[in-house]
Amino acid sequence: MIKKLSPLLLVFFLFACKAENSAEQLSESSNSESNDIWIDKENMADTSDLKATIENVTIVKSDLEKRMIKAGLVDIQSVDSSLKVDVKYATTDNFMDKVLYDGYDKVYLQPIVAERLSKAQKALQKIDSTLTLLVFDGTRPRSVQQEMWDALDSIPFNDRVKFVSNPVNGSIHNYGCAVDLTIINKYSGGWLDMGAEYDDLRKIAYPRHEAKFLASGELTQLQVDNRKLLRKVMRAGGFWVIETEWWHFNAFSRTKANEMFEIVE
């Protein structure tokens, strides 16, 4: 009987050794200079358990994403997979015409803010199941905020702060408590017409001037209604729009964000 079991025991022993060796290799890789794999050691199970180790490996594309995770922020699509993202600052399709998030094309927010965004998404789809939120930006490092601020140095200070918060004070984006977004048809991908593009510096993009531009015919009723729909569902999630950007919504005031969270530098 013992002779019959020996081959099985041998196979089991070899498999256990292989698993332990693989776990050691994964552990060693976490101490390397590679930016391809980041291991959450604090939440890692016993490294002898290969399956548990692999489940705690998060593949990341950049140091920026590591900083987001370290700060306790969450990927919004891990909270609500129905949310769509189009990270404009990971491309050249933005007001600076340059890539600001190198190798990073996700949207991270404070967990409580991501939950609010999911609530807004559900409010939108309850109104019209063919629509979905499309998110352009969430947490923005202050270093990127500084680049944006410097790029607009030809604009008078009082006008510049209407579009980009002074990095000295910190933007609500820097705390992971603000989001830029629009609404699209989730089947066609077409944007709802808001009468002005994302990152549009013109006053026609200002929510506070909508009545004026509607009266002049420069905005249509449909465009204003689309903006109102966006504001309605975002309010349902616990956000409010700012006066100068139809796409920008805050979950907390700067004072409250500063009390609760740290700036992502």
Side-chain angles (χ1 to χ4, degrees), residues 28-39 60 63 66:
E28 289 172 2
S29 71
S30 69
N31 297 320
S32 71
E33 295 297 323
S34 172
N35 287 330
D36 296 327
I37 296 180
W38 179 81
I39 299 179
V60 298
D63 288 335
K66 292 180 184 179

Side-chain angles (χ1 to χ4, degrees), residues 211-247:
K212 169 188 170 184
F213 287 110
L214 180 60
S216 70
E218 293 170 88
L219 283 176
T220 67
Q221 187 62 58
L222 177 60
Q223 291 165 341
V224 172
D225 287 346
N226 287 340
R227 293 187 187 188
K228 287 181 177 179
L229 175 60
L230 180 58
R231 293 198 288 266
K232 178 179 180 179
V233 299
M234 292 302 285
R235 279 198 305 271
F239 295 84
W240 65 91
V241 75
I242 64 173
E243 292 184 328
T244 55
E245 298 173 347
W246 63 258
W247 56 83

Side-chain angles (χ1 to χ4, degrees), residues 101-120:
Y101 297 157
D102 189 23
Y104 171 79
D105 59 359
K106 296 182 180 180
V107 175
Y108 275 75
L109 291 169
Q110 295 292 346
I112 188 174
V113 180
E115 291 291 347
R116 289 190 186 188
L117 188 59
S118 178
K119 187 176 179 181

Side-chain angles (χ1 to χ4, degrees), residues 67-121:
R67 284 154 57 194
M68 298 287 186
I69 296 169
K70 186 176 181 181
L73 304 169
V74 295
D75 177 352
I76 62 170
Q77 290 182 309
S78 71
V79 174
D80 190 331
S81 61
S82 71
L83 291 164
K84 304 298 183 184
V85 300
D86 179 11
V87 185
K88 293 299 187 182
Y89 300 128
T91 72
T92 58
D93 184 19
N94 56 66
F95 79 99
M96 292 183 65
D97 297 320
K98 64 181 290 188
V99 173
L100 296 171
Y101 297 157
D102 189 23
Y104 171 79
D105 59 359
K106 296 182 180 180
V107 175
Y108 275 75
L109 291 169
Q110 295 292 346
I112 188 174
V113 180
E115 291 291 347
R116 289 190 186 188
L117 188 59
S118 178
K119 187 176 179 181
Q121 171 80 329

